[in-house]
Amino acid sequence: MKTEKQEFLRLLEDSTMYLAASPKLQEVYPIAFVFKEGEERQLIETLKELLKELQKNVANEAQQMLEALERQKQAELEKGQSFLDTEQHENAISVFNALLTRFSEDAELKSDIAERYIRAGLYSEAFAQLAEAIELSPENIRYYNSIGMALRKMGKFDVAEKYFAKAVKVAGKDPHLFFNLGRVYLDWEKWDKCAKSAMMALKLDPEFKEAEKMLAFANKRIA
């Protein structure tokens, strides 16, 4: 038993010396590691403090990496936007596609780029990105509203209607959802459905002035 204890103490001493000799460890935790027999409890407390510092250091490094990635992402978004602003659409699409390849699971990035496409009149490109964003995050109502807008601009009213139907199942209590569906019916000249959508928007938000105007316009067309 005594021999086993001595062997255990020797291992503790060797391990402590090894840690104390590590330059990188000293950068993180610049406190000398010294172990003596009978000071096992102090060693345990020191190791606990070391573990906390290592965890903090890893978290800081991870945060720095995330911030660096975000800066790169924003730089590429600005580059692509500058191409859109000067109507160099192919160059913009190329930049955005490269960015989306790196961040293929980022639904919010896809939505961001889609909104830029919508503002530039690139509705089919916007639709493609928003469809993927919805696949990744089907509970986000904003994506449905945006894809409905893109499809409406493309004249694909039936497809827009289907996307809004999905959105209603997810969050049917959003008055803007029904208002935007009403805009699809407005352009589609389906006046009865437009009126029903406007009424649903007003039921959820009685102060929705634009929905009031839509309802009045649709009712005139029905009459």
Side-chain angles (χ1 to χ4, degrees):
M1 192 72 178
K2 184 177 180 181
T3 304
E4 291 178 356
K5 181 180 179 181
Q6 291 301 319
E7 178 64 18
F8 177 69
L9 291 173
R10 186 184 66 77
L11 288 172
L12 278 179
E13 289 176 0
D14 290 348
S15 298
T16 304
M17 289 174 63
Y18 176 79
L19 289 173
S22 171
K24 288 191 175 181
L25 190 61
Q26 286 296 315
E27 292 177 8
V28 177
Y29 194 70
I31 295 177
F33 281 90
V34 180
F35 171 71
K36 294 179 182 178
E37 185 177 350
E39 297 181 352
E40 291 83 358
R41 189 177 296 278
Q42 292 92 319
L43 177 61
I44 290 172
E45 292 303 318
T46 300
L47 290 173
K48 285 181 179 178
E49 290 297 323
L50 171 61
L51 181 59
K52 288 180 183 179
E53 289 300 319
L54 288 173
Q55 290 173 334
K56 187 189 301 182
N57 190 61
V58 169
N60 288 339
E61 288 184 358
Q63 182 62 33
Q64 289 172 9
M65 289 178 63
L66 287 173
E67 290 174 356
L69 280 174
E70 188 60 30
R71 286 195 295 271
Q72 292 174 19
K73 187 189 295 184
Q74 291 303 317
E76 289 302 297
L77 283 171
E78 290 175 10
K79 181 179 178 181
Q81 184 63 52
S82 68
F83 282 131
L84 288 179
D85 292 342
T86 53
E87 297 186 2
Q88 299 180 63
H89 293 166
E90 289 186 6
N91 289 337
I93 292 169
S94 178
V95 169
F96 288 145
N97 283 347
L99 187 58
L100 289 163
T101 299
R102 291 181 61 196
F103 301 95
S104 59
E105 300 299 310
D106 190 336
E108 195 59 29
L109 176 63
K110 293 178 185 293
S111 173
D112 185 330
I113 290 173
E115 294 293 342
R116 296 169 190 267
Y117 282 150
I118 288 173
R119 290 193 293 271
L122 301 175
Y123 302 118
S124 61
E125 287 80 2
F127 166 74
Q129 295 308 320
L130 286 164
E132 291 183 13
I134 288 171
E135 287 293 321
L136 290 168
S137 185
E139 74 288 348
N140 194 314
I141 300 305
R142 181 163 52 84
Y143 299 165
Y144 291 97
N145 278 321
S146 295
I147 203 170
M149 181 190 303
L151 288 164
R152 180 170 62 83
K153 292 288 187 179
M154 294 165 67
K156 295 187 176 182
F157 306 125
D158 55 337
V159 184
E161 183 182 38
K162 289 176 182 177
Y163 271 100
F164 277 118
K166 291 180 183 178
V168 168
K169 290 180 181 179
V170 177
K173 295 184 178 181
D174 184 341
H176 292 90
L177 193 63
F178 287 100
F179 176 75
N180 287 332
L181 175 58
R183 293 182 68 183
V184 172
Y185 291 135
L186 191 70
D187 288 358
W188 203 358
E189 298 186 359
K190 289 187 175 291
W191 309 117
D192 55 339
K193 288 188 175 182
C194 178
K196 288 178 182 177
S197 296
M199 284 190 289
M200 282 300 301
L202 286 167
K203 182 178 179 181
L204 294 168
D205 181 5
E207 302 301 319
F208 200 157
K209 300 301 181 183
E210 292 301 317
E212 283 183 11
K213 293 177 183 178
M214 177 183 287
L215 178 59
F217 184 83
N219 283 335
K220 285 181 180 178
R221 291 289 180 154
I222 293 171

